[in-house]
Amino acid sequence: MKIAVAKGDGIGPEIMSAVLKIFDANKVPLEYEMVDMGKWVFDKGFSNGMTPEAQQTIERLGILFKGPMETPKGKGVKSVNVTARKTWNTYANKRVFQTLHGVDTVFSKAGIPIDITVVRENIEDTYGGIEHMLTHDVALSRRFITRPGSMQVIRYAFEMARQKKARRITCGHKANIMKITDGLFLECFYEVAKEYPDLKADDIIVDDLCMKLVTRPDTFDVVVLTNLQGDIVSDLCAGLVGGLGFAPSANIGDHICIFEAVHGTAPDIAGKNIANPTALLLSGFAMLRHLGLTENAAVIENALLYTLEQGIHTGDFGDKSKPSLNTTQFAEAIISNFGKKPELNAKELLANKPGTPTPLKLERNTMLESKEIENEKIIGVDMFIESNEQPDVIAKKCQRHGGVKFNLINISNRGTQVWPTGSVYTNLVNQYNVRFESIDNYPLNQQDIIGLYVSLSGDFKIASIELLNMWGDKKSYSSAAGQ
Ligand code: NAD
């Protein structure tokens, strides 16, 4: 079986070579095709950080094992790590955080075991990076949460939880504030939960989740979250088990999967052969198991756990009174412990299974669309206008443009209503949301909206607009605070 390997930047080549050395010593039946991605590829002028040959190889082989990569600062290029996850639709980011015997933390010292799997949505949310300055004072980021995207990642999380025989699967969210976006994610969670009656499914507001993770981490098992919240919560979980040096990550898609460590290129220690290869090695175990190489994964993991139990460590963790090993020596120590079993959490030696088939060759992009059931009609529009005038002055101007079809309903600033009611204590920025609805809920069409846009543009610069839709009797938009 062949996989694509990108060594990465900074400590990437050092930890990748340590991990591949361990795989080779265990006769892992994999062949590696090295691909060019990362900093020097950006420097050569490839704006997505990978060569076309690298892309072809990864799409042909379906598996990428990668070291951390640097995103050049201030060149306007996007992170190759994020681009890779999005281009190949690796919609689920799975990170496993387990107590490791020999890696001291406040929880291991207190005898509180941790075994948490965080599944983070990996494509959507603010990570689209679709951002605009609407005025010189106001920046806007578009946050996409989609029904099919949420269903994909949540379905994966439930399936994985069932395989893990999880005690509990929890959705972290902020649907009390972001009722439409996080509300949709939560709705999808409970829709999928119906198909898994054997699993205890519940939800928790993300700030409460963070507090409970640091006080009672042992009460959580599988946690599924949207992208940005998942990003933050998974680093928090890495801290619970000893830091980023122990945080593996699998980016799972239907066709292509990417396995990598959570940490970055560690420029401060690069080139010194002192980096800890454990996180990349743990990511490697996830890859081996994904490929059916369960026996190889178990033998090497037992050797790693045994090595950690012996107090053997690199410079970034462990008992500082004992000398640390460098990256190469640490890899050699693991190799010398093949066949040994740790006292805690020894892995069962399940025989290797036949590898997953070569990924499907796709002819065209897959359209993810769920069935529309309700009648949709446009009943109004939000116009985001630039102005530094007072709300009542803006209201008077706007009312002139409503004509026979539109009523001015309210005006808000940074999401807080400032007209027809409001408070003079609300600070303003030079961008308002002016909401018009149709008179008597009469259905509008796009030409009506454009007519209003043209008329209003005589008085204001309009930065953006959003339609106000009704689906059946359900509003598809939020109300302003105080409305
Ligand atoms: P970092 O994770 O590289 O380093 C943070 C700290 O942790 C440093 O002190 C570093 O020495 C230490 N550290 C990290 N990995 C270690 C290891 N394996 N062994 C021992 N110590 C380790 O984070 P950063 O400094 O914020 O980012 C550096 C670069 O990495 C940036 O260019 C960033 O864009 C990139 N990055 C890449 C990825 C990825 O490829 N997936 C992820 C995060 C950051």
Side-chain angles (χ1 to χ4, degrees):
M1 221 176 331
K2 267 191 183 174
I3 63 163
V5 173
K7 288 185 176 170
D9 303 312
I11 58 168
E14 300 161 47
I15 55 173
M16 183 59 82
S17 114
V19 170
L20 295 187
K21 197 169 162 191
I22 296 170
F23 282 7
D24 288 347
N26 192 247
K27 301 198 169 37
V28 171
L30 285 178
E31 283 176 58
Y32 312 116
E33 271 194 45
M34 296 296 166
V35 292
D36 294 325
M37 295 172 82
K39 185 178 180 305
W40 74 267
V41 183
F42 278 117
D43 292 345
K44 270 175 93 180
F46 295 97
S47 61
N48 62 357
M50 63 179 114
T51 60
E53 295 76 24
Q55 177 162 353
Q56 280 162 14
T57 305
I58 294 159
E59 291 180 2
R60 178 165 48 81
L61 299 175
I63 298 285
L64 171 64
F65 190 34
K66 69 177 276 297
M69 290 172 194
E70 184 183 328
T71 306
K73 289 195 189 98
K75 290 194 179 173
V77 293
K78 293 202 174 181
S79 153
V80 61
N81 307 306
V82 178
T83 303
R85 289 171 210 158
K86 286 159 66 78
T87 307
W88 294 311
N89 210 62
T90 62
Y91 49 78
N93 180 264
K94 176 185 155 190
R95 297 181 181 179
V96 178
F97 304 100
Q98 280 174 329
T99 306
L100 292 166
H101 201 185
V103 182
D104 279 348
T105 66
V106 276
F107 298 104
S108 66
K109 284 181 186 159
I112 298 172
I114 297 175
D115 181 4
I116 302 171
T117 306
V118 175
V119 179
R120 158 189 170 196
E121 196 287 318
N122 217 13
I123 312 273
E124 307 189 337
D125 203 336
T126 46
Y127 285 65
I130 305 168
E131 302 196 319
H132 297 91
M133 291 299 295
L134 296 191
T135 76
H136 63 275
D137 280 346
V138 179
L140 173 80
S141 168
R142 299 204 132 210
R143 177 174 194 247
F144 283 98
I145 303 292
T146 73
R147 192 184 302 276
S150 303
M151 291 301 270
Q152 270 186 329
V153 64
I154 290 167
R155 234 178 250 293
Y156 169 80
F158 271 89
E159 207 44 51
M160 190 275 300
R162 182 176 271 172
Q163 278 173 23
K164 188 187 172 191
K165 298 189 175 55
R167 288 169 283 133
R168 176 184 180 194
I169 174 165
T170 306
C171 177
H173 63 87
K174 196 73 186 173
N176 54 330
I177 304 295
M178 293 175 281
K179 292 183 178 16
I180 295 201
T181 46
D182 273 28
L184 175 59
F185 192 76
L186 189 58
E187 184 187 315
C188 291
F189 176 80
Y190 281 115
E191 207 175 312
V192 177
K194 285 187 212 145
E195 297 166 29
Y196 295 82
D198 50 314
L199 286 171
K200 180 181 177 313
D202 56 14
D203 69 278
I204 183 165
I205 292 172
V206 67
D207 32 347
D208 190 21
L209 171 66
C210 290
M211 195 269 288
K212 294 208 165 87
L213 278 170
V214 294
T215 50
R216 288 300 307 274
D218 52 324
T219 59
F220 292 94
D221 196 333
V222 174
V223 185
V224 57
L225 301 117
T226 52
N227 204 343
L228 177 60
Q229 293 169 25
D231 192 2
I232 297 165
V233 167
S234 50
D235 271 24
L236 183 154
C237 290
L240 301 178
V241 295
L244 287 180
F246 302 93
S249 150
N251 299 284
I252 306 290
D254 289 336
H255 303 281
I256 295 173
C257 297
I258 304 169
F259 298 86
E260 61 182 339
V262 172
H263 62 71
T265 59
D268 49 337
I269 56 167
K272 296 182 181 162
N273 193 29
I274 55 170
N276 179 359
T278 306
L280 188 64
L281 186 58
L282 292 169
S283 314
F285 300 152
M287 180 178 72
L288 297 184
R289 292 194 169 104
H290 179 84
L291 293 170
L293 302 173
T294 37
E295 189 168 349
N296 293 100
V299 171
I300 308 174
E301 189 164 2
N302 282 341
L304 165 73
L305 298 178
Y306 180 86
T307 307
L308 294 173
E309 274 184 1
Q310 300 306 304
I312 294 170
H313 63 98
T314 47
D316 56 309
F317 75 101
D319 184 349
K320 300 284 176 219
S321 65
K322 286 190 185 165
S324 59
L325 302 191
N326 67 27
T327 313
T328 317
Q329 292 163 335
F330 189 70
E332 280 159 2
I334 295 170
I335 293 169
S336 71
N337 287 328
F338 283 168
K340 301 210 171 110
K341 279 199 173 176
E343 252 172 64
L344 277 190
N345 295 330
K347 305 296 163 192
E348 206 184 329
L349 298 183
L350 299 169
N352 286 353
K353 294 185 285 264
T356 41
T358 318
L360 284 176
K361 175 119 187 68
L362 295 181
E363 299 297 333
R364 53 188 181 155
N365 292 76
T366 307
M367 171 61 72
L368 303 172
E369 194 177 20
S370 57
K371 222 161 112 203
E372 219 176 309
I373 33 173
E374 293 111 334
N375 298 329
E376 181 185 324
K377 64 176 183 180
I378 304 171
I379 61 137
V381 64
D382 278 347
M383 298 271 183
F384 293 85
I385 61 162
E386 180 167 350
S387 175
N388 56 12
E389 293 169 304
Q390 287 295 302
D392 54 335
V393 177
I394 294 174
K396 272 205 193 86
K397 286 188 187 172
C398 287
Q399 278 163 329
R400 287 205 299 268
H401 298 286
V404 293
K405 290 192 173 165
F406 293 94
N407 258 337
L408 176 67
I409 298 296
N410 78 327
I411 300 176
S412 56
N413 196 291
R414 290 192 286 176
T416 304
Q417 178 167 296
V418 291
W419 185 93
T421 55
S423 164
V424 286
Y425 292 98
T426 304
N427 283 184
L428 303 171
V429 297
N430 61 2
Q431 210 242 334
Y432 287 89
N433 178 10
V434 179
R435 175 164 289 180
F436 290 93
E437 283 181 2
S438 73
I439 290 173
D440 296 331
N441 269 350
Y442 189 79
L444 301 164
N445 60 33
Q446 291 199 78
Q447 280 72 25
D448 295 324
I449 306 293
I450 291 166
L452 177 63
Y453 184 103
V454 172
S455 175
L456 201 63
S457 67
D459 272 325
F460 301 103
K461 180 175 164 204
I462 303 166
S464 71
I465 71 168
E466 291 294 343
L467 298 179
L468 303 179
N469 292 307
M470 288 291 287
W471 288 326
D473 57 5
K474 235 167 91 188
K475 280 183 177 177
S476 67
Y477 52 93
S478 59
S479 306
Q483 188 181 347

